[in-house]
C-alpha cells in the first residue's frame, strides 16, 4: 500500500502488533511496509490463528482480545487493526489498550471499511455485510454494522492518538460479474440465514436475500471503500 510505505519510509519501526489479525489478511501489507520489523498477530479465534500460522510461519501469533492485550506497557513501536474495529464489543477499550502497549511516539494504523459516501454497487456490499453482522448479533456474537468514516476518525482521536494522516482506498471490481459467483454469495447468505431459523427476525432477513440478489443484478457488488488512519502516540 503505497501511501503507507511512503508515510513510514523515514520512520524506525522495529516491532508491530496486529490486533484482530484473523487469517492474516493485513500481514502482507505490514511486511511490505515494515520490512525489518518483528510482527506479532493476535485474535480471539483459534481457527483463524491456525490458518494464519500456516500462511505466515515467520510471524508469532497469540490468542487474545483487543480489550485485554496481554503485553506490558510500551511494548511495540506500532499497532494495527484492520477490518476488525467494528467487531469489538468496546471500541474505545480496544483502542486504549493498543495505546497502552505502543511506546510514546509510536503509531497506530487503523484500516476499516466505512458506511457512507458509497456508490450503488458498494451499497450492495453494505447490504451483504450488514446481513451477516445482523445474524451474528442475533446469535449473540458481537459484530457491529460498519461505521461512518467520521466515527472511525473520531474514535481514534478520542483514544488519545493524534491523527497524522488518513487516506481512502477501494477496489474497482464487480465481484459478481460472473453469475456463478452471485449464486455462490446467495447460497452463503441462505446457509447463514438457516442459523436463525425460528427466530422472530428470520422472515425479515429472508427478504434481504431477495433484495440483495435484485440489487446486485442491477448495480453489481463492489467492496465498500476503506479508510486507513495513522495516529501518533
Ligand atoms: C473481518 S476479520 C479481519 C481480519 C483481518 N485483520 C483483515 O484485515 O481481514 C475480523 C477479526 O476480528 C476478530 N475479533 C473479533 N472480536 C475481537 C476482539 N474483541 N478483539 C480482537 N479481535 C476480534 C475476529 O476474530 C476476526 O478475525
Amino acid at each position: 500500500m503505497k501511501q503507507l510505505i511512503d508515510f513510514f519510509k523515514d520512520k524506525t519501526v522495529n516491532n508491530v502488533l496486529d490486533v484482530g489479525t484473523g487469517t492474516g489478511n493485513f500481514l502482507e501489507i505490514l511486511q511490505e511496509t515494515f520490512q525489518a520489523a518483528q510482527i506479532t498477530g493476535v485474535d480471539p479465534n483459534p481457527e483463524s490463528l491456525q490458518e494464519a500460522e500456516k500462511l505466515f510461519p515467520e510471524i508469532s501469533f497469540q490468542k487474545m482480545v483487543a480489550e485485554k492485550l496481554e503485553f506490558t506497557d510500551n511494548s511495540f513501536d506500532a499497532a494495527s487493526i484492520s477490518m476488525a474495529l467494528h467487531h469489538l464489543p468496546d471500541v474505545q477499550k480496544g483502542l486504549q489498550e493498543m495505546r497502552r502497549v505502543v511506546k510514546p511516539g509510536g503509531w497506530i494504523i487503523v484500516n476499516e471499511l466505512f458506511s457512507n459516501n458509497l456508490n450503488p454497487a458498494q451499497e450492495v456490499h453494505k447490504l451483504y455485510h450488514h446481513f451477516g453482522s445482523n445474524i451474528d448479533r442475533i446469535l449473540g456474537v458481537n459484530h457491529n454494522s460498519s461505521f461512518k468514516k467520521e466515527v472511525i476518525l473520531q474514535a481514534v482521536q478520542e483514544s488519545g492518538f493524534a491523527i497524522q494522516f488518513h487516506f481512502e482506498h477501494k477496489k474497482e471490481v464487480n465481484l459478481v460479474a460472473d453469475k456463478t459467483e452471485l449464486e455462490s454469495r446467495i447460497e452463503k447468505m441462505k446457509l447463514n440465514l438457516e442459523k436463525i431459523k425460528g427466530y422472530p427476525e428470520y422472515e425479515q432477513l429472508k427478504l434481504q436475500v431477495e433484495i440483495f440478489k435484485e440489487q446486485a443484478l442491477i448495480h453489481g457488488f463492489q467492496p465498500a471503500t476503506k479508510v486507513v488512519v495513522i495516529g501518533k502516540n
Side-chain angles (χ1 to χ4, degrees):
M1 199 175 273
K2 189 176 180 316
Q3 297 98 317
L4 210 54
I5 294 172
D6 285 350
F7 182 86
F8 282 107
K9 69 172 181 258
D10 57 353
K11 320 230 172 7
T12 305
V13 171
N14 294 317
N15 61 354
V16 185
L17 174 68
D18 188 39
V19 175
T21 198
T23 53
N25 285 341
F26 200 58
L27 293 174
E28 267 177 42
I29 289 173
L30 292 177
Q31 284 179 324
E32 125 192 304
T33 308
F34 306 109
Q35 293 193 5
Q38 194 188 354
I39 301 175
T40 303
V42 298
D43 197 283
N45 185 328
E47 286 96 40
S48 297
L49 289 176
Q50 264 182 11
E51 193 75 20
E53 267 162 4
K54 280 187 219 147
L55 295 168
F56 300 92
E58 69 286 13
I59 290 181
S60 79
F61 295 96
Q62 294 183 50
K63 180 178 172 294
M64 70 182 81
V65 292
E67 295 86 345
K68 195 171 184 301
L69 295 175
E70 294 156 37
F71 301 101
T72 52
D73 297 0
N74 311 333
S75 296
F76 296 93
D77 294 318
S80 59
I81 181 161
S82 167
M83 297 295 285
L85 209 61
H86 66 284
H87 284 262
L88 304 186
D90 188 339
V91 171
Q92 267 314 309
K93 182 96 183 67
L95 290 173
Q96 278 160 18
E97 269 293 87
M98 290 172 76
R99 184 156 178 242
R100 180 184 64 75
V101 302
V102 167
K103 294 171 191 165
W107 307 95
I108 189 172
I109 302 160
V110 175
N111 179 40
E112 181 75 5
L113 82 171
F114 58 86
S115 62
N116 51 331
N117 303 327
L118 304 177
N119 68 34
Q122 292 178 313
E123 286 290 340
V124 177
H125 178 274
K126 181 160 102 182
L127 210 145
Y128 182 83
H129 180 262
H130 288 191
F131 174 86
S133 62
N134 226 321
I135 290 190
D136 279 348
R137 285 199 299 279
I138 292 165
L139 294 171
V141 176
N142 196 80
H143 190 171
N144 295 302
S145 302
S146 45
F147 301 129
K148 285 187 175 162
K149 181 179 163 184
E150 296 71 30
V151 172
I152 299 164
L153 290 166
Q154 200 184 338
V156 175
Q157 196 82 48
E158 260 175 42
S159 69
F161 285 101
I163 296 176
Q164 306 288 299
F165 180 48
H166 61 89
F167 59 91
E168 293 182 8
H169 62 110
K170 63 179 173 189
K171 284 194 179 128
E172 299 289 350
V173 285
N174 176 10
L175 294 175
V176 296
D178 174 358
K179 288 281 166 348
T180 55
E181 184 53 36
L182 177 60
E183 289 308 324
S184 123
R185 295 273 174 176
I186 291 167
E187 264 325 293
K188 272 191 202 151
M189 287 174 96
K190 285 182 177 167
L191 276 175
N192 215 1
L193 184 69
E194 286 317 294
K195 295 183 194 162
I196 60 153
K197 196 157 193 170
Y199 285 70
E201 299 89 344
Y202 180 83
E203 289 303 327
Q204 190 217 334
L205 280 165
K206 193 173 170 190
L207 201 63
Q208 292 290 309
V209 182
E210 290 312 310
I211 296 174
F212 168 78
K213 184 175 180 179
E214 192 185 286
Q215 294 294 304
L217 282 168
I218 300 172
H219 301 294
F221 180 75
Q222 182 186 349
T225 314
K226 293 169 192 156
V227 62
V228 172
V229 187
I230 302 172
K232 189 169 186 176
N233 197 3

